[in-house]
């Protein structure tokens, strides 16, 4: 009953939107809305670049090798573009990313993009925990020798977000970073020069504290200002082709009050995503995802937003029946438009593959009409 109410209000929400569709982004939103009534799309990060047992071949895909079709959604990451690097943080050349995005678009697929920018203040990666450890050690060492005065001179990694905002010490540099990411997005065009619509998912998992934009590493206000600054910058140059995904991490205990503290606002979000991996026990994962999907789907239906599992999986698939036994029952009663397991490469994998222990299980699931691969969405 509850699910019916959620699904129905979802439909009503988007009727107005699809009637008024105009821009490529609005068309993509309307398409997502329509598709989720048919089922949930399978997405995969870095699908065309490498798999569990191969890398850098062309025309290969773990998904295609297992189920005979490409994922409906492909995910790509722009970490490193901010430095002007040729390759991203996972060694994928940006030119190849662009080519694969364009190919997937022409095949009729959907594209989502994340960005793990380096730390503009400390010069390290998007992951901040080691910086904090180093900072704490340095502070403790100074205090041990009574040099409190010098503590202020050490760069505090938790000042990263404020340093990139207007007036901050890294603002000029970060503006260049925003420019580089925007230029890449702008280069995603069809052969007539029209922009290719993409789902952009910056500043994800912000309720965790492992990234420099995370929960304990900036204030609510700083987070929202950061979101707005990037969004406004990108939108100024690309006003019609970005679908904005706001994707906190698995939480399990959302209340509306807490969720709203960092939610960028209805006019700034098109899709609410959940990044959810099973890192701990199956019971904890099930309880957490159930609580979050319940909360997010209710919130999304009230605010006219789409929902998706924007990252998910069980690292190295230790459990052969995980997809159909654990994951499928968790998502199938919610209006999840896609789920996107993270990348498959030799050290770790999350997605479907003939080389994963879950191969047969996923193959069986893929026969279900509600699981949508590329050919199901054309
Ligand atoms: C993480 C890991 C890293 C990778 C990063 C960005 O979850 O897969 O190895 O660099 O995502 O893709």
């Amino acid at each position: 009953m509850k699910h019916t109410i959620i699904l129905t209000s979802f439909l009503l929400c988007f009727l107005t939107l699809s009637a008024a569709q105009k821009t490529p982004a609005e068309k993509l939103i309307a398409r997502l809305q329509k598709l989720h009534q048919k089922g949930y799309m399978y997405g995969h990060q870095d699908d065309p670049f490498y798999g569990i047992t191969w890398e850098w071949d062309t025309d290969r895909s773990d998904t295609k090798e297992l189920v005979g079709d490409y994922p409906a959604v492909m995910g790509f990451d722009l970490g490193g573009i901010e430095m002007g690097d040729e390759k991203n943080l996972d060694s994928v050349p940006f030119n190849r990313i662009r080519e694969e995005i364009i190919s997937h678009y022409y095949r009729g697929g959907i594209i989502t993009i994340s960005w793990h920018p380096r730390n503009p203040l400390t010069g390290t990666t998007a992951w901040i925990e080691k910086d904090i450890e180093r900072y704490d050690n340095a502070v403790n060492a100074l205090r041990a020798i009574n040099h409190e005065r010098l503590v202020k001179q050490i760069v505090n990694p938790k000042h990263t977000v404020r340093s990139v905002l207007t007036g901050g010490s890294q603002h000029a540099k970060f503006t260049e970073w925003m420019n580089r990411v925007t230029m890449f997005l702008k280069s995603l065009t069809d052969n007539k020069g029209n922009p290719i619509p993409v789902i952009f998912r910056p500043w994800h998992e912000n309720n965790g504290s492992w990234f420099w934009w995370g929960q304990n590493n900036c204030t609510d206000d700083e987070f929202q200002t950061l979101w707005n600054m990037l969004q406004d910058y990108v939108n100024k140059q690309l006003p019609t082709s970005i679908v904005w995904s706001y994707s906190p991490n698995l939480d399990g205990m959302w209340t509306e009050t807490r969720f709203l503290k960092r939610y960028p606002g209805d006019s700034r979000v098109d899709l609410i995503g959940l990044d959810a991996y099973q890192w701990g026990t199956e019971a904890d994962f099930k309880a957490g995802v159930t609580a979050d999907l319940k909360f997010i789907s209710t919130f999304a239906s009230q605010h006219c937003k789409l929902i998706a599992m924007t990252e998910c999986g069980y690292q190295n698939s230790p459990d052969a029946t995980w997809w159909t036994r654990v994951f499928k029952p968790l998502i199938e009663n919610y209006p999840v438009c896609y789920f996107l397991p993270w990348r498959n490469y030799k050290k770790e994998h999350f997605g479907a593959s003939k080389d994963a222990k879950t191969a047969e299980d996923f193959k069986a699931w893929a026969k279900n009409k509600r699981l949508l691969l590329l050919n199901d969405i054309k």
Side-chain angles (χ1 to χ4, degrees), residues 178-310:
M178 293 193 291
N179 186 47
R180 289 188 174 131
V181 86
T182 308
M183 286 303 119
F184 183 88
L185 295 170
K186 220 173 164 177
S187 74
L188 304 173
T189 57
D190 68 12
N191 54 24
K192 290 189 191 123
N194 300 314
I196 292 178
V198 298
I199 302 164
F200 188 36
R201 184 174 61 100
W203 315 132
H204 69 125
E205 301 173 11
N206 66 319
N207 52 330
S209 295
W210 42 90
F211 294 129
W212 56 258
W213 54 88
Q215 186 68 39
N216 297 333
N217 306 324
C218 60
T219 65
D220 298 337
D221 196 45
E222 284 167 353
F223 177 80
Q224 288 187 324
T225 311
L226 175 72
W227 176 284
N228 296 354
M229 182 175 74
L230 176 65
Q231 185 169 44
D232 293 347
Y233 192 95
V234 172
N235 278 344
K236 215 167 180 179
Q237 304 209 46
L238 281 168
T240 64
S241 58
I242 309 292
V243 171
W244 291 87
S245 168
Y246 176 67
S247 296
N249 194 64
L250 182 61
D251 189 281
M253 294 188 298
W254 284 119
T255 60
E256 182 148 352
T257 315
R258 191 160 63 82
F259 188 81
L260 284 172
K261 286 200 163 133
R262 295 202 178 195
Y263 178 66
D266 284 348
S267 63
R268 293 184 169 273
V269 173
D270 302 303
L271 182 152
I272 301 175
L274 176 60
D275 286 12
Y277 293 92
Q278 183 178 324
W279 295 118
T281 68
E282 184 180 309
D284 285 351
F285 179 70
K286 283 180 177 166
V289 172
T290 304
D292 281 10
L293 283 181
K294 223 181 211 171
F295 173 79
I296 287 174
S297 61
T298 307
F299 183 93
S301 77
Q302 288 161 355
H303 294 250
C304 283
K305 303 299 164 199
L306 296 155
I307 66 167
M309 302 284 285
T310 41

Side-chain angles (χ1 to χ4, degrees), residues 156-175:
N156 184 346
K158 294 194 182 192
H159 292 169
T160 307
V161 172
R162 77 177 70 153
S163 81
V164 304
L165 303 179
T166 310
S169 63
Q170 306 303 314
H171 181 67
K173 177 161 93 187
F174 196 74
T175 304

Side-chain angles (χ1 to χ4, degrees), residues 45-46 50 76-77 79 88-90 114 116 127 204-205 211 277 279 311 315 342-343 345 348 350:
Q45 184 70 9
D46 277 0
Y50 37 66
F76 302 95
D77 197 273
N88 83 351
L89 75 174
D90 299 319
S114 50
H116 290 97
W127 287 264
H204 69 125
E205 301 173 11
F211 294 129
Y277 293 92
W279 295 118
E311 276 189 39
Q315 189 183 39
W342 208 239
R343 60 204 192 109
Y345 74 116
E348 59 169 12
F350 297 90

Side-chain angles (χ1 to χ4, degrees), residues 11-80:
L11 292 180
L12 291 175
C13 242
F14 285 94
L15 277 179
T16 12
L17 191 74
S18 57
Q21 63 178 269
K22 279 190 200 94
T23 67
E26 284 164 354
K27 281 184 190 152
L28 176 53
I29 292 169
R31 186 177 179 208
L32 290 167
Q33 167 55 19
K34 211 169 153 197
L35 283 169
H36 99 72
Q37 292 161 39
K38 200 173 163 194
Y40 32 80
M41 290 183 277
Y42 177 71
H44 190 212
Q45 184 70 9
D46 277 0
D47 191 79
F49 306 130
Y50 37 66
I52 301 177
T53 58
W54 56 277
E55 53 182 3
W56 312 126
D57 301 9
T58 43
D59 293 326
R60 269 193 95 166
S61 152
D62 268 3
T63 314
K64 199 167 182 213
E65 284 176 17
L66 180 69
V67 294
D69 195 3
Y70 290 106
V73 180
M74 281 191 192
F76 302 95
D77 197 273
L78 300 185

Side-chain angles (χ1 to χ4, degrees), residues 123-143:
T124 60
T125 70
W127 287 264
I128 199 178
E129 281 161 332
K130 280 193 189 130
D131 286 335
I132 293 175
E133 204 181 301
R134 262 193 298 270
Y135 172 78
D136 288 344
N137 288 341
V139 169
N140 289 338
L142 285 173
R143 287 198 173 135

